[in-house]
Amino acid sequence: MMKPVIVVHGGAGVIRKEKESGYLSGVKRAALRGYDILKQGGNAVTAVEEAVVVFENDPHFNAGYGSVLNEDGEVEMDAIIMDGRDLTSGAVSAVKCIANPIKLARLVMEKTDHILLTCKGASLFAKAQGIPEVPGEQLITEFSRERWKKNLKSASNPVACQFGLGTVGAVAVDTQGNVASATSTGGIINKMAGRVGDTACIGCGGYADNNIGAISTTGHGESIMKVTLARLILHYMEKGMSTEEAADAGLNYMKTRVDGYGGVIFVNNSGEWTAKFSTEQMSWAAVKDGQLQCGISTGENKTEPVDTSL
Ligand code: ASP
């Protein structure tokens, strides 16, 4: 039996000082929620989905409730989930008026022959699956509304966008040695209506393959898509790099090749994990071997004991 591992992120970018403790407690709660599931023998897919649901319900993060607004002042969200056992995945893009896009992504994976549903078709599918519609306003926080007003012109600037990040993700290995990944986002602030970023795209916002490992990414979506960051990092690992080297190499390639910044969490199929970023900060947490580790800034790694008895 494998020792389970979960790693989560709450987005790469710059986190305001007064929000740091909220981010840290959010990543810890999400990691512990996923870990509880793994500890009870639950599978990696359910663990990453439930960890992401914790983030989507937390207004600190740019996913579900708390998502950034597009240029029309509306929330449009992208999410993806992937099962490393057979490379099945499900994603939704530009969805409105649902609380937990990651749950819809899982239903796309399990109940359809498709990988990605978007806009109206995704809404109709959500309805057919009994997912309640919530008024769009209910996903908007005062903070996102204020930021939207202030940042009306910054959508096309990747550096300005660093202040608008907060996408969430989770990767896990379960006791059976299966890996999974999940990522969910409101995208980048003041994006054009209908803009779909990396998160919904397989190999960009996430990827999971039992033969290698699982990845979830965050950062400037257009840059991540140009280099297919998640799959690129797995490719580096296949070529013999460690998780840490592969993550660094992928982020470095994105920086030098397209001047793009972001972050990743990565666990391989033996349970080695890493959390890396080329932005100023990224909130992350991981649970393995009786320890919860978490941090926000480069080199920061707070460690706390947790009950990991199986
Ligand atoms: N990657 C996301 C996007 O571009 C943003 C983020 O990671 O914060 O949609």
Side-chain angles (χ1 to χ4, degrees), residues 5-11 27 29-35 38 44-55 80-83 102 167-173 179-184 199 205-208 213-218 264-267 274 283-286:
V5 184
I6 184 147
V7 193
V8 303
H9 71 77
V27 288
R29 278 193 306 120
L32 289 171
R33 171 77 188 117
Y35 192 75
L38 296 171
V45 173
T46 302
V48 293
E49 178 192 20
E50 288 298 321
V52 165
V53 165
V54 170
F55 282 127
I80 190 166
I81 192 160
M82 186 158 180
D83 186 340
I102 200 67
T167 290
V168 304
V171 294
V173 188
V179 303
S181 82
T183 312
S184 180
T199 302
Y207 203 83
I215 295 225
S216 167
T217 70
T218 168
V264 303
I265 48 172
F266 180 13
V267 66
T274 191
S283 54
W284 61 271

Side-chain angles (χ1 to χ4, degrees), residues 67-193:
S67 287
V68 300
L69 308 188
N70 67 14
E71 61 183 6
D72 295 341
E74 288 182 339
V75 166
E76 282 186 336
M77 301 165 289
D78 301 336
I80 190 166
I81 192 160
M82 186 158 180
D83 186 340
R85 282 175 295 195
D86 55 2
L87 309 189
T88 51
S89 72
V92 290
S93 68
V95 289
K96 298 179 183 180
C97 304
I98 56 166
N100 298 112
I102 200 67
K103 289 191 180 176
L104 188 58
R106 183 167 184 179
L107 289 167
V108 171
M109 173 167 83
E110 290 178 349
K111 308 268 184 205
T112 79
D113 295 331
H114 307 305
I115 285 185
L116 172 58
L117 286 184
T118 194
C119 294
K120 192 173 152 217
S123 303
L124 291 173
F125 175 66
K127 230 176 243 161
Q129 292 296 319
I131 293 201
E133 202 174 304
V134 296
E137 286 293 312
Q138 211 167 295
L139 299 171
I140 301 178
T141 59
E142 201 41 49
F143 181 68
S144 340
R145 174 86 66 206
E146 283 310 307
R147 263 195 337 173
W148 171 71
K149 284 187 193 152
K150 285 190 196 133
N151 283 293
L152 267 174
K153 290 192 184 72
S154 69
S156 57
N157 177 345
V159 178
C161 286
Q162 283 198 35
F163 293 88
L165 307 182
T167 290
V168 304
V171 294
V173 188
D174 62 28
T175 53
Q176 305 302 307
N178 297 312
V179 303
S181 82
T183 312
S184 180
T185 190
I188 50 176
I189 191 162
N190 296 311
K191 63 188 180 179
M192 287 174 70

